[in-house]
Amino acid sequence: MSEAVVTVPVARIEGFSSCEVDDVLAVEEPLEFRLDQITISLTMRTPGDDFELAAGFLFAEDLIAGSEDILSISRPADGSPNVVEVRRTPEARVNHSPAKRNFLMTSACGVCGKASLEELEQNACPALAPDNVRVASSMIRRLPERLRAEQAVFQTTGGLHAAALFDFNGELQAVREDVGRHNAVDKLVGAALLNRQTPLSRKILLVSGRASFELVQKALMASIPLMAAVGAPSSLAVATAEKAGMTLIGFLRDDRFNVYSGAGRITVSENHT
Amino acid sequence: MSEAVVTVPVARIEGFSSCEVDDVLAVEEPLEFRLDQITISLTMRTPGDDFELAAGFLFAEDLIAGSEDILSISRPADGSPNVVEVRRTPEARVNHSPAKRNFLMTSACGVCGKASLEELEQNACPALAPDNVRVASSMIRRLPERLRAEQAVFQTTGGLHAAALFDFNGELQAVREDVGRHNAVDKLVGAALLNRQTPLSRKILLVSGRASFELVQKALMASIPLMAAVGAPSSLAVATAEKAGMTLIGFLRDDRFNVYSGAGRITVSENHT
C-alpha cells in the first residue's frame, strides 16, 4: 500500500507548544478514464487498484455488463500513472453506448454521469430479484471489527474510506480503500468483476462511512442484497434501497445497528451462521 | 431546517432484541443547475439554500466572478423544487463561458467539471495575494466547539457535513450544512457572494470532515487564506494549499491541531485575539 500514503512534516500545536512531527497522509491524485479512446471521466482517487476502479466505474455506469465486455485495460502508451484506458468488444460498444446520453460523463459523484433530473429518473436503479436470504444479527454486529482489522491505511491516516465484501457467514472476502467512498466501492466491485464473481447476489457490502444514494445505486448495479454502513444513511439512500428490495443497515457500531429497509433478511438470534 | 431532515421508522437491533423506533435522516435530493437556459450540472444535495448553492457552485467553477454577473436566480416556471435557473449578464456570458470548455460540466465532485488531466492542469488554482494575517492558536482551537453549537441538523442525523466562516477574532459568521461537503462550502461561499462579501480574504473556513483537494480549491477561489478541517487532509489538499500560500490545518480537535502549510499565519500564544 506504499503509494496510498505519503509522509509529510507538520507543525503539531497542542496547548501552547508547537513541535515538528511527521504525519502520514492519504494520497489523492486525479485519474482519467478513457473508454474506447475517448476521455469520459476524471476522478480524484487514491492510487492503487486503478484497473479495478476503472472496471467497477464502467460497470456502475452501465457501460459494460461484465468482464466479457472488456477487450483490454491498460496504461496509455506514454505510461502515465494517472490514466487508464479501457477498450470494449464491438458487441459491448453497441449495447452499452455513452453516445446514448447527450453529453460526456464526469461522474463518480453520485449521479452516474447524468446532468439532468430527467436523465436521472430515466435511469432508475434495478430492483433485486426475490431471494430467501436470512442472516443473523449477531453476525452483522461483528462485521465492523473484521473490517477494521484489515483497514491498514485508515488506521494511519484517518483519511480513507473503506468498502468490504463479506459472505453470508460473515467471512471477509475483499477490502478496498480510497479517499473517495464511491471509488472504494468501485474498486471492490471492479475486482469482483475482473475475477468473474459478479453478480454479487450472495454478498454483503460494508462501508466505513455514510450510506448515500450513489453507494446504494452502485450496490444495486452489482445485485448486492444487503448493505451496511458504519455511519448514517441519507433519505434517498433509504428510499432507493426500499424500492429495490435491498436491506439497508446504518449506524452499525457499538454492538448495535438500525435496519432502514428489508428487515426480513435479518434474524435476531444467537445463531452465528 | 425542516426540509433538511425526515423522520422514518427503523428496526433498532441491539443484543438480541429488536424494537421499532423513529430515526431522523438527512434529506438527500438531486438539484439540477441551469445556466442561461442550459442544463449544466446535477448534484445530490440537502434541500435548503439552493440559490446560495447555485451561486457558490458557479463561482467555484469560474462561471461568474461575483454577484454582479447574476441577472436572476429562480425556480423554473413549473415550480420544480429540484431545479435552479441562473441567468447571467451579457458581459458575464462573454467573460466566463462554459463553451470555452469542450464539454458540459457535471462537477461538484472535486474536479471542477474537468474531464481530463490536461484540463485540470490548465485550470490551476489561483495563488493568494501576500498578506500579513496572524491568528492565535488558542483561538483556532476553540472553533470546532463554536461550530458544533450551531450545527443543529448534524446532531440529530449524524449525516450532514458542515462548513463555517469565522472572522480572525474567532467570531462565527455563517454555517451551512449538506449531505455533500462540497455543497456545504458552495452554500457558504454562495451566501457570502450574494451578500457582496467576497473576496473572503479576511475569513477562516472550518469544515467538519476531511480536507480534500476540491475543498481547498473552492476556498482558494474565494480567496480564503486559512482553512481548518476537523478531519484529515489528503496529499493533494496539502500540496495545493502549499502552492497557493494558504494555511491548511487538519485534525482540529481535542484541543490540538496540525498545520500542514502556511504555518507563518499561526502564532502560538495565549493571546485570544
Side-chain angles (χ1 to χ4, degrees):
Chain A
M1 298 291 274
S2 63
E3 64 184 343
V5 298
V6 62
T7 301
V8 297
V10 300
R12 178 159 297 165
I13 296 177
E14 187 161 6
F16 302 112
S17 77
S18 172
C19 57
E20 184 154 311
V21 298
D22 280 343
D23 191 52
V24 179
L25 299 180
V27 173
E28 181 185 26
E29 288 283 339
L31 180 67
E32 179 180 324
F33 296 118
R34 293 182 193 156
L35 181 65
D36 299 324
Q37 300 185 280
I38 295 169
T39 292
I40 58 161
S41 183
L42 185 67
T43 186
M44 304 306 280
R45 96 330 188 169
T46 300
D49 306 316
D50 286 346
F51 288 7
E52 297 177 350
L53 175 58
F57 173 78
L58 294 176
F59 181 69
E61 300 291 335
D62 200 26
L63 290 168
I64 56 171
S67 58
E68 68 278 8
D69 285 343
I70 299 175
L71 266 184
S72 66
I73 307 184
S74 58
R75 297 290 178 193
D78 69 3
S80 167
N82 286 339
V83 177
V84 171
E85 297 187 339
V86 178
R87 289 170 192 244
R88 297 176 299 174
T89 62
E91 297 74 31
R93 290 191 191 207
V94 171
N95 296 330
H96 304 277
S97 170
K100 287 181 191 166
R101 304 179 193 178
N102 296 327
F103 59 100
L104 282 173
M105 303 184 321
T106 76
S107 165
C109 59
V111 291
C112 278
K114 291 157 200 78
S116 72
L117 289 172
E118 194 182 359
E119 284 176 276
L120 187 70
E121 284 156 12
Q122 280 170 357
N123 290 269
C125 291
L128 295 170
D131 62 51
N132 53 6
V133 171
R134 294 288 178 283
V135 297
S137 62
S138 54
M139 181 273 282
I140 297 286
R141 290 202 309 270
R142 291 195 304 272
L143 301 181
E145 185 186 326
R146 295 184 182 182
L147 172 58
R148 273 194 300 274
E150 292 292 321
Q151 207 186 333
V153 177
F154 180 83
Q155 303 285 359
T156 54
T157 69
L160 290 186
H161 292 275
L165 278 183
F166 293 86
D167 67 17
F168 291 158
N169 295 319
E171 294 300 321
L172 185 67
Q173 309 290 299
V175 179
R176 293 295 183 276
E177 293 177 290
D178 202 284
V179 286
R181 56 187 176 179
H182 43 85
N183 293 334
V185 173
D186 280 341
K187 286 178 176 179
L188 193 68
V189 173
L193 183 133
L194 294 177
N195 290 324
R196 299 181 183 272
Q197 294 163 341
T198 49
L200 299 170
S201 49
R202 305 291 297 172
K203 295 289 184 287
I204 298 168
L205 173 66
L206 174 66
V207 296
S208 62
R210 303 170 192 181
S212 65
F213 166 71
E214 69 172 324
L215 297 193
V216 169
Q217 191 178 43
K218 286 177 187 293
L220 285 172
M221 288 298 288
S223 304
I224 295 171
L226 202 156
M227 174 172 164
V230 173
S234 73
S235 65
L236 197 56
V238 172
T240 305
E242 182 79 50
K243 192 172 175 187
M246 169 192 271
T247 300
L248 181 63
I249 287 170
F251 292 108
L252 175 54
R253 56 197 185 200
D254 303 329
D255 210 32
R256 66 184 201 187
F257 59 87
N258 291 343
V259 186
Y260 291 88
S261 64
R265 291 199 185 88
I266 312 290
T267 57
V268 180
S269 75
E270 297 192 49
N271 181 359
H272 286 195
T273 54
Chain B
M1 299 289 275
S2 62
E3 64 183 345
V5 297
V6 62
T7 302
V8 296
V10 300
R12 179 159 296 164
I13 296 176
E14 189 162 5
F16 302 111
S17 77
S18 172
C19 56
E20 184 153 312
V21 299
D22 281 343
D23 192 52
V24 179
L25 299 180
V27 174
E28 180 184 26
E29 288 283 340
L31 180 67
E32 179 179 324
F33 296 118
R34 293 182 193 156
L35 181 65
D36 300 324
Q37 300 185 280
I38 295 168
T39 292
I40 59 162
S41 183
L42 184 69
T43 187
M44 303 306 281
R45 96 325 187 174
T46 299
D49 306 316
D50 286 346
F51 289 6
E52 297 177 348
L53 175 58
F57 174 79
L58 295 175
F59 181 70
E61 300 292 335
D62 200 27
L63 290 168
I64 58 172
S67 58
E68 69 278 8
D69 284 342
I70 299 175
L71 267 184
S72 67
I73 307 183
S74 58
R75 296 290 177 193
D78 69 3
S80 167
N82 286 341
V83 177
V84 171
E85 296 187 339
V86 178
R87 287 168 193 247
R88 296 176 301 174
T89 63
E91 298 74 30
R93 290 190 191 208
V94 171
N95 295 330
H96 304 276
S97 171
K100 286 181 189 165
R101 305 180 192 179
N102 296 329
F103 60 100
L104 283 173
M105 302 185 320
T106 74
S107 166
C109 58
V111 292
C112 277
K114 292 155 200 80
S116 72
L117 289 170
E118 194 182 359
E119 283 177 277
L120 187 70
E121 283 156 12
Q122 280 171 357
N123 291 269
C125 291
L128 295 169
D131 61 52
N132 53 7
V133 171
R134 293 290 178 282
V135 296
S137 63
S138 54
M139 181 273 282
I140 297 286
R141 290 202 308 270
R142 291 195 306 272
L143 301 181
E145 184 186 325
R146 294 184 182 182
L147 172 58
R148 273 193 301 274
E150 293 291 323
Q151 207 184 332
V153 178
F154 180 81
Q155 304 285 0
T156 53
T157 69
L160 290 185
H161 293 275
L165 278 183
F166 293 87
D167 67 18
F168 291 159
N169 294 320
E171 295 299 322
L172 185 67
Q173 309 289 299
V175 180
R176 293 294 182 277
E177 292 175 290
D178 202 282
V179 285
R181 56 187 177 181
H182 44 86
N183 292 334
V185 173
D186 280 341
K187 285 177 176 180
L188 194 68
V189 173
L193 183 133
L194 294 177
N195 290 325
R196 299 180 182 275
Q197 294 164 340
T198 49
L200 299 171
S201 49
R202 305 293 295 171
K203 296 289 183 286
I204 298 168
L205 173 65
L206 174 65
V207 296
S208 62
R210 304 171 190 180
S212 65
F213 166 71
E214 68 172 326
L215 297 192
V216 169
Q217 191 179 43
K218 286 177 188 292
L220 286 171
M221 289 298 289
S223 304
I224 295 170
L226 202 156
M227 175 172 163
V230 173
S234 74
S235 66
L236 197 57
V238 172
T240 305
E242 182 80 50
K243 192 171 176 187
M246 169 192 271
T247 300
L248 181 63
I249 286 170
F251 292 107
L252 174 54
R253 57 196 184 201
D254 303 329
D255 210 33
R256 67 184 200 187
F257 58 89
N258 291 343
V259 187
Y260 291 88
S261 64
R265 291 198 185 90
I266 311 289
T267 58
V268 180
S269 76
E270 298 192 47
N271 180 359
H272 287 195
T273 55

